[in-house]
Amino acid sequence: MRYSSIIVEDLQAAADFLKKFCERSGIIDVQGHYLNAEDALVYLSENVVDLIFLDVEMPGASGFELMDRLVYNPQVILTTSKTEYAYDAFQYNVTDYLKKPFTYQRFLEAIQKVQVRKDEQDAETGTDHIFIKADGKLIRLENEDILYIESMGDYVKFVTEAKKYITHNTIKNLEAKVDPQRFLKVHRSFIVNLARIDDIQENCLYIRGANIPVSKAHKSRFMQKIKVV
Amino acid sequence: MLQEPRTEFVFSDHFHQLYLEDLYDGDLRAAEEIFLSSIRTISSELSVASVLFDQGNVEGVRKVYHKIKPLFGYVGLLSVQEFVQQFEEECTQTAGTSDLLFSFNQINEVVLDAVYLIREEQIKLRTFNNKRA
């Protein structure tokens, strides 16, 4: 599993140092470095990340203020040079608290905590929703509301009862991110919500009148997943 | 018993050899980059602190020193980092810049000396890295 992340840090050297550790870990993708909370919030209003490396004292809003304004809850590792924030860090339930500068070994310990927490979250919530970037904002879609997802080249279409959402993504990428208990790829261009299938006929399935092909390559797995009595 | 350095590069006496070895884990090119970046940041932030001090903005001065404090850790000057920490605490307990003048001059002197040492060490690192490349 790889984790997408951003670094929010007003000290360039500290950010450079951290980026090297992330690269070396092989599992942390740094999607951006922001020198203040405001710029980071602009990015986070349109993009979802798994993890934020967050300094506390920065020009403008603090790291804690950034967390107050987040619309979703990625994991946070606080990176600060002050131990006095430990109590606040506990209150905000951050994943870990790194005092700058820190060694690679200490960084790895923090990443292990991220992995443990991710596993716990997945076990607890069963990932009942996803966020997609569409119409210039992040939209929460409940898994149960999604009928199917269709590829449109470099874009995908999320089809729900009420609306269709087009977003920049690929079926391949989404296959790894949606709940595998509920969703299944049945064709190179389609992921379907197994609970929303109405009928199946030969190499096609139907969801609310839409005809979705089931390819030969995916049929066997599909037939294993559905309940035939 | 003194511990032997793990890398062939030996930092000058002011710098904490074993701490830096732990931090950079043999990546002396990264150390060179961080030393250079630290010099630039500290130098520019000192000018900012000076302006803020003249404006009587103690909290602003504290924030500048809070920002540069970890850099002395990244370069292995741990006593300077500790000294900056003490100054930062003094800022929180002082009402105005007049009470802080002596400490402010003192910290600036310490930090400027540190910048000189970091620059010397960065040149030494660069020479070493270039020879090894």
Side-chain angles (χ1 to χ4, degrees):
Chain A
M1 165 102 194
R2 294 182 72 87
Y3 298 87
S4 57
S5 72
I6 60 165
I7 297 171
V8 189
E9 167 66 71
D10 64 340
L11 197 55
Q12 189 62 48
D16 292 343
F17 193 78
L18 182 51
K19 272 186 215 166
K20 281 185 189 293
F21 281 179
C22 290
E23 280 169 22
R24 191 171 156 191
S25 76
I27 58 166
I28 307 292
D29 293 324
V30 179
Q31 298 185 342
H33 165 217
Y34 299 91
L35 293 164
N36 58 63
E38 284 79 10
D39 288 349
L41 281 164
V42 170
Y43 179 82
L44 291 168
S45 68
E46 295 191 349
N47 297 278
V48 176
V49 294
D50 300 313
L51 173 65
I52 304 175
F53 293 100
L54 183 61
D55 189 11
V56 177
E57 279 198 34
M58 292 174 286
S62 73
F64 292 117
E65 286 170 293
L66 181 147
M67 284 192 276
D68 286 337
R69 286 154 64 181
L70 282 174
V71 294
Y72 66 104
N73 296 314
Q75 293 197 52
V76 172
I77 294 177
L78 284 184
T79 58
T80 176
S81 56
K82 222 176 182 179
T83 49
E84 285 85 340
Y85 293 123
Y87 178 73
D88 291 320
F90 176 75
Q91 294 290 94
Y92 275 83
N93 195 26
V94 301
T95 304
D96 206 353
Y97 183 99
L98 293 173
K99 187 170 180 294
K100 291 179 288 194
F102 43 86
T103 62
Y104 184 63
Q105 191 53 44
R106 181 66 188 85
F107 168 82
L108 282 184
E109 285 170 22
I111 298 307
Q112 277 164 7
K113 288 181 188 174
V114 170
Q115 291 171 312
V116 168
R117 186 172 284 202
K118 175 76 171 70
D119 290 345
E120 286 170 356
Q121 284 172 345
D122 286 353
E124 277 171 19
T125 65
T127 56
D128 60 356
H129 66 274
I130 54 170
F131 278 93
I132 62 164
K133 186 182 165 186
D135 305 332
K137 58 186 174 182
L138 289 172
I139 298 169
R140 177 178 168 135
L141 295 182
E142 301 301 323
N143 284 346
E144 61 186 331
D145 293 337
I146 300 168
L147 301 177
Y148 60 91
I149 308 164
E150 181 179 356
S151 170
M152 300 170 68
D154 291 336
Y155 291 81
V156 294
K157 180 166 65 181
F158 284 81
V159 180
T160 68
E161 294 266 19
K163 204 174 167 186
K164 293 170 183 169
Y165 300 91
I166 293 174
T167 181
H168 190 267
N169 215 321
T170 63
I171 288 288
K172 189 180 175 188
N173 181 41
L174 287 170
E175 190 185 4
K177 295 197 170 169
V178 293
D179 179 1
Q181 297 301 317
R182 181 181 282 270
F183 293 96
L184 184 71
K185 186 179 175 187
V186 294
H187 184 275
R188 67 175 185 277
S189 299
F190 287 94
I191 291 173
V192 300
N193 184 341
L194 293 165
R196 304 304 296 265
I197 296 170
D198 296 318
D199 304 300
I200 303 163
Q201 281 184 13
E202 296 182 355
N203 295 325
C204 282
L205 60 86
Y206 296 86
I207 301 178
R208 294 290 183 273
N211 177 347
I212 296 167
V214 180
S215 70
K216 274 188 186 170
H218 296 92
K219 188 157 186 183
S220 164
R221 179 125 190 273
F222 172 61
M223 293 309 287
Q224 285 170 10
K225 279 277 193 177
I226 59 169
K227 200 182 235 179
V228 180
V229 291
Chain B
M1 194 176 105
L2 281 174
Q3 281 184 274
E4 287 295 316
R6 293 201 302 260
T7 61
E8 59 233 272
F9 183 85
V10 179
F11 286 92
S12 307
D13 287 346
H14 293 92
F15 298 84
H16 198 302
Q17 176 83 26
L18 294 176
Y19 178 84
L20 289 169
E21 284 179 0
D22 255 1
L23 209 53
Y24 292 101
D25 202 15
D27 189 351
L28 292 172
R29 190 59 80 178
E32 181 195 334
E33 287 166 12
I34 297 291
F35 272 58
L36 182 60
S37 167
S38 298
I39 296 163
R40 288 175 178 156
T41 305
I42 295 167
S43 303
S44 75
E45 291 296 331
L46 278 185
S47 310
V48 175
S50 182
V51 171
L52 290 168
F53 190 85
D54 290 344
Q55 291 170 349
N57 185 347
V58 176
E59 176 58 9
V61 171
R62 184 197 70 77
K63 282 188 170 178
V64 169
Y65 280 91
H66 174 79
K67 181 178 176 181
I68 62 173
K69 182 177 60 183
L71 293 175
F72 299 104
Y74 285 111
V75 299
L77 291 173
L78 303 186
S79 57
V80 179
Q81 188 182 22
E82 180 57 37
F83 200 61
V84 174
Q85 171 69 40
Q86 285 166 14
F87 177 73
E88 199 189 326
E89 282 161 15
E90 202 179 331
C91 287
T92 61
Q93 293 154 8
T94 306
T97 45
S98 52
D99 294 342
L100 204 61
L101 184 61
F102 177 75
S103 300
F104 183 70
N105 287 334
Q106 200 178 31
I107 191 84
N108 278 344
E109 213 171 293
V110 170
V111 168
L112 283 171
D113 286 347
V115 169
Y116 175 79
L117 292 173
I118 302 165
R119 186 171 284 124
E120 293 284 302
E121 207 63 12
Q122 187 265 332
I123 293 167
K124 205 172 128 187
L125 273 165
R126 188 180 61 199
T127 309
F128 179 86
N129 285 331
N130 288 347
K131 268 187 193 164
R132 205 169 55 162

